[in-house]
Amino acid sequence: MPLPDFFEFHLPTRVLYGAGLIDQLSDSLPHWQGKRALLITDQVLEDLGLAERARKGLARAGIRVAGTFNDVPPDSTITTVESCAAAGRRCKAQVIVALGGGSVMDTAKVANILMVKGGRATDHMGAYILGNTRLNPMLAIPTTAGTGSEVTKVAVIADPDSQMKLPFAETQFFPEVALLDPTLTTTLPPLHTALTGMDALTHAIESYVSREAQPASDALALYVIETVNHWLVRACQQPDDLQARGQMLVASCLAGMAFTQSMVGIVHGIAHALGGRWHIPHGLANALVLPEGMAFNLDAAPARFARIAEALGLGLEYPADTAARWLRLTPLRALAQPVARFRPAERWLQLRLGEAAIARVRQLNQELAAVTGMPLNLRDSGMARADETELAALTEAALADGSMLYNPREVTADAVRRILKRLHQASLQPITPALTGGLDAMKDTGPSLTGVFESSEALYDVLGEFYTRLIEDPDLGPTLAASRLCVQFVYEDPDAIVTLDGHQSPPTLTMGPAPDAKPDVIMTMKADFAHAFWLGKANLIRALSRRQVRSKGNVPKAVKLLPVLKPAFRLYPAYLKERGLTQLLAG
Ligand SMILES: [Fe+2]
């Protein structure tokens, strides 16, 4: 693909991914400690206990939830945004935590402007009008996999009076941190999973063929197309499959990164109109319009649609490329280049591949319909009538949508009208999907043991005696002594300090502060992590890179000991059993 004359890729958001990350926030936001937070969420997440889980996670990180606004509806309105901002002002929030789907995160973004600048939501509608105004830092925690709003600079809010979706775009909308935790998405019902997942696919496909497409968003978009095609049906079939949930959450986030740079097109333009006038969920409207929008655009970007087909597993190499590669291996290699250039039917082939991509997206909708009951036409989606007056009103709203500016082909009223009419009359049937994703199912979800040691005394009792046994072990003891290494473990929850001093001969063990020790390395970690580590269920190197374990001093020297410690992973469970502490082995 030729490079654009100019492009900018701007992503100030720090993205963190991990199953159960919400419960381990303490190291992720050190500079937020002591700050007053407004938690913005919805009633469903409150009832499911996810909001409470977030509160506890934030409390562990030293962040005080000074107020909660949990009244965000599925399609947030300007009234909701203004009530939310009032809640933020009342509790004097310094930081914002948005826990939810697109509606929650978009509410948080626009309410943030009102909290800082005041006024009505409509006063701030538009793009890049904030200038240098700083907004409150935001932590975005998506509980759906589709919107990507955790990494975008846009927000869409409904205005019931005008039946329009109002767009807002500000660089300051980028959250400071996006926290992707797939355990927060397992309660999402299959239908909602399907709809939000199709929103992510639409973001990827529309950004890939957009007039503003660029290499960075292209790379993200193709990855997303491949991932959604592979994992979305499985995430609907197996709601508890953390691998499928994680794949979709990451895909949604990457799609957000792509479209916030390259924008979307005709599909979103029409979907916004359908959402505004008929309250058809955003993901459903996108899912239905997507194949039609692709068909409309195919002629304008056949090479790009052929590449989309490849990402959907429908690639077909141009015969001249194969011939040229073979020729390069023979004495006739000089012919390779002219042969590779011989492409009399290239455009024809690209169009066929594009058609295959459209057929696959349509089939994906039918598979999702079989698994989740997703409607396959606008009649069943709540659009009660498609008379000329209604079609004209919808067409006008769609053409006025900003997304249309980025569509690769100029969108006409006639085209929108035809798409709407066809989708209203459509009579596609559900198709039972083939098994997807199964072979890659997650094998290791990491340690799930939490709150293992009730108190510092319990920790000293269990780990202290275990370390003593390691020092006295006939195989491990001499190795530890030979290392001449003094390691100090600083444990948290409960707090404890254990110093294993190999400078002494034989090595000594000190429980509690050891003022005379001169540790070569100090490792700070959760007590639960230490327990999981000795059970052989936690990876120290990974934990160091994720800052679950913080280290000071000669870490490489300590890490070199790891292979030697392997036998201890068998000794620890045996030791716990011997002491009758089998409850510590659960998890
Ligand atoms: Fe969208």
Side-chain angles (χ1 to χ4, degrees):
M1 301 292 169
L3 286 170
D5 298 336
F6 168 84
F7 75 88
E8 175 182 333
F9 188 88
H10 178 219
L11 183 73
T13 305
R14 193 169 140 230
V15 178
L16 303 169
Y17 172 86
L21 212 52
I22 186 85
D23 308 312
Q24 305 155 21
L25 277 175
S26 51
D27 303 327
S28 307
L29 295 158
H31 56 294
W32 278 34
Q33 278 187 15
K35 294 260 164 74
R36 300 165 62 84
L38 171 68
L39 174 65
I40 301 172
T41 187
D42 63 38
Q43 199 54 55
V44 175
L45 296 172
E46 194 72 76
D47 294 344
L48 285 169
L50 296 185
E52 189 52 28
R53 211 172 139 198
R55 276 187 209 102
K56 281 185 181 155
L58 291 164
R60 275 195 286 270
I63 302 158
R64 191 183 147 212
V65 177
T68 297
F69 183 82
N70 55 16
D71 281 336
V72 182
D75 244 342
S76 186
T77 63
I78 47 178
T79 315
T80 305
V81 166
E82 288 168 3
S83 307
C84 177
R89 280 194 295 267
R90 268 197 306 277
C91 72
K92 297 186 175 59
Q94 298 163 299
V95 293
I96 289 176
V97 179
L99 172 81
S103 184
V104 165
M105 289 189 273
D106 287 5
T107 299
K109 288 174 178 177
V110 183
N112 200 354
I113 302 184
L114 302 195
M115 284 163 62
V116 173
K117 294 206 73 169
R120 309 291 309 269
T122 42
D123 299 340
H124 304 284
M125 194 180 93
Y128 312 116
I129 54 176
L130 271 184
N132 292 326
T133 305
R134 287 172 74 98
L135 297 184
N136 297 306
M138 179 168 151
L139 164 65
I141 312 173
T143 56
T144 64
T147 163
S149 188
E150 68 274 15
V151 285
T152 74
K153 57 184 169 188
V154 294
V156 180
I157 301 292
D159 178 6
D161 291 341
S162 67
Q163 293 189 313
M164 297 277 281
K165 297 267 188 160
L166 307 181
F168 299 78
E170 298 293 348
T171 309
Q172 292 91 327
F173 279 169
F174 279 117
E176 182 182 317
V177 179
L179 189 146
L180 311 181
D181 181 346
T183 66
L184 297 172
T185 65
T186 53
T187 47
L188 194 66
L191 176 60
H192 209 118
T193 303
L195 305 187
T196 46
M198 286 306 289
D199 188 24
L201 182 64
T202 309
H203 293 155
I205 290 178
E206 292 218 278
S207 69
Y208 190 69
V209 299
S210 154
R211 283 177 201 263
E212 288 296 305
Q214 46 139 303
S217 62
D218 284 354
L220 295 164
L222 290 173
Y223 179 91
V224 172
I225 294 166
E226 195 181 313
T227 305
V228 174
N229 185 42
H230 189 76
W231 289 103
L232 176 55
V233 173
R234 184 171 176 87
C236 298
Q237 287 171 319
Q238 306 276 342
D240 292 331
D241 183 338
L242 277 184
Q243 180 67 209
R245 291 295 193 178
Q247 293 277 1
M248 283 307 302
L249 197 54
V250 170
S252 161
C253 181
L254 299 187
M257 291 178 196
F259 91 80
T260 205
Q261 317 290 334
S262 300
M263 303 298 151
V264 283
I266 182 172
V267 183
H268 269 76
I270 297 177
H272 287 154
L274 287 167
R277 287 187 65 80
W278 290 100
H279 306 289
I280 297 178
H282 179 64
L284 175 58
N286 274 331
L288 297 180
V289 180
L290 181 57
E292 304 299 329
M294 290 169 77
F296 175 73
N297 284 332
L298 176 57
D299 217 34
R304 287 196 166 253
F305 278 100
R307 193 73 186 79
I308 289 172
E310 229 175 273
L312 289 167
L314 302 163
L316 189 68
E317 190 172 70
Y318 197 72
D321 289 337
T322 315
R325 259 202 294 280
W326 277 91
L327 280 169
R328 272 187 209 110
L329 301 171
T330 72
L332 298 172
R333 67 181 63 88
L335 292 175
Q337 216 173 359
V339 166
R341 283 204 199 114
F342 183 68
R343 295 168 176 266
E346 184 176 35
R347 187 181 162 83
W348 180 87
L349 187 67
Q350 288 171 341
L351 289 171
R352 301 296 81 75
L353 285 168
E355 284 165 2
I358 295 163
R360 171 58 193 145
V361 171
R362 208 167 265 134
Q363 184 194 51
L364 184 57
N365 277 342
Q366 291 171 285
E367 290 178 352
L368 293 171
V371 174
T372 71
M374 181 181 108
L376 286 170
N377 59 55
L378 289 175
R379 294 188 311 280
D380 299 339
S381 306
M383 184 176 156
R385 55 175 203 279
D387 52 55
E388 289 305 318
T389 317
E390 181 52 36
L391 289 179
L394 273 171
T395 303
E396 192 189 334
L399 289 176
D401 193 274
S403 310
M404 296 298 194
L405 298 172
Y406 303 95
N407 197 64
R409 183 178 164 196
E410 183 127 5
V411 183
T412 61
D414 190 44
V416 175
R417 206 178 148 281
R418 260 187 290 124
I419 288 174
L420 287 168
K421 211 166 173 179
R422 197 177 307 133
L423 285 174
H424 199 265
Q425 292 167 351
S427 55
L428 286 175
Q429 295 302 312
I431 295 175
T432 306
L435 188 68
T436 56
L439 293 175
D440 304 314
M442 185 176 260
K443 293 179 190 80
D444 174 20
T445 56
S448 56
L449 297 156
T450 51
V452 174
F453 302 111
E454 279 173 11
S455 61
S456 306
E457 289 70 33
L459 183 149
Y460 285 132
D461 175 42
V462 176
L463 288 187
E465 189 178 329
F466 176 61
Y467 291 155
T468 306
R469 289 191 182 199
L470 290 186
I471 292 169
E472 290 169 357
D473 185 84
D475 297 322
L476 284 170
T479 315
L480 290 173
S483 72
R484 305 282 301 147
L485 196 67
C486 177
V487 186
Q488 187 165 73
F489 299 103
V490 179
Y491 298 122
E492 296 168 340
D493 299 331
D495 293 344
I497 300 174
V498 177
T499 307
L500 185 61
D501 193 349
H503 294 168
Q504 314 295 323
S505 183
T508 60
L509 195 66
T510 309
M511 310 287 183
D516 297 331
K518 292 187 174 56
D520 299 292
V521 58
I522 301 173
M523 289 191 171
T524 306
M525 67 192 79
K526 291 269 184 281
D528 289 339
F529 180 88
H531 176 68
F533 173 78
W534 290 116
L535 283 176
K537 290 187 177 181
N539 182 319
L540 181 64
I541 306 293
R542 207 184 292 160
L544 282 165
S545 66
R546 292 175 188 181
R547 284 161 287 184
Q548 287 169 331
V549 174
R550 304 185 299 282
S551 57
K552 193 177 165 198
N554 193 343
V555 180
K557 201 173 169 190
V559 166
K560 268 188 199 157
L561 268 183
L562 281 178
V564 182
L565 288 174
K566 263 190 182 160
F569 301 149
R570 280 198 311 277
L571 295 176
Y572 186 57
Y575 155 75
L576 293 177
K577 264 186 213 149
E578 185 193 314
R579 287 198 53 189
L581 298 167
T582 44
Q583 76 278 8
L584 299 188
L585 293 166

